[in-house]
Amino acid sequence: MFVTSNLEAEPKLGDYAIKEWKKAGFPKPSMTRMKFATIDKNLIIMKFAKLTGTDISSIKTELKEFLGF
């Protein structure tokens, strides 16, 4: 999944508006979108935010629904 600050994008199944975006360290309101990819850890230059437990729990629920569990 990825994170975007484009909250005006057409809503899609599985989108989740991050509630505690400031606390997580995002510079502006953001949402997750269900698009999956894998990348090598060596390609990650830096981490700039960390989701709170509340948002992680909500995203897990969205992911289960998105995948049909």
Side-chain angles (χ1 to χ4, degrees):
M1 82 181 29
F2 72 94
V3 176
T4 180
S5 62
N6 182 7
L7 301 182
E8 295 179 16
E10 183 177 331
K12 294 183 180 183
L13 177 65
D15 284 357
Y16 174 75
I18 299 169
K19 307 266 187 285
E20 298 181 332
W21 60 272
K22 282 185 182 179
K23 200 183 235 186
F26 291 101
K28 53 185 162 178
S30 301
M31 71 175 177
T32 60
R33 177 153 278 180
M34 300 293 172
K35 280 192 177 179
F36 299 93
T38 58
I39 61 169
D40 190 293
K41 285 174 108 175
N42 294 324
L43 296 175
I44 298 172
I45 297 169
M46 70 176 189
K47 296 178 184 182
F48 65 91
K50 184 175 180 175
L51 293 170
T52 64
T54 300
D55 281 317
I56 290 172
S57 179
S58 295
I59 290 170
K60 284 181 180 180
T61 301
E62 288 291 329
L63 180 59
K64 288 177 185 176
E65 186 176 318
F66 180 79
L67 296 173
F69 294 126

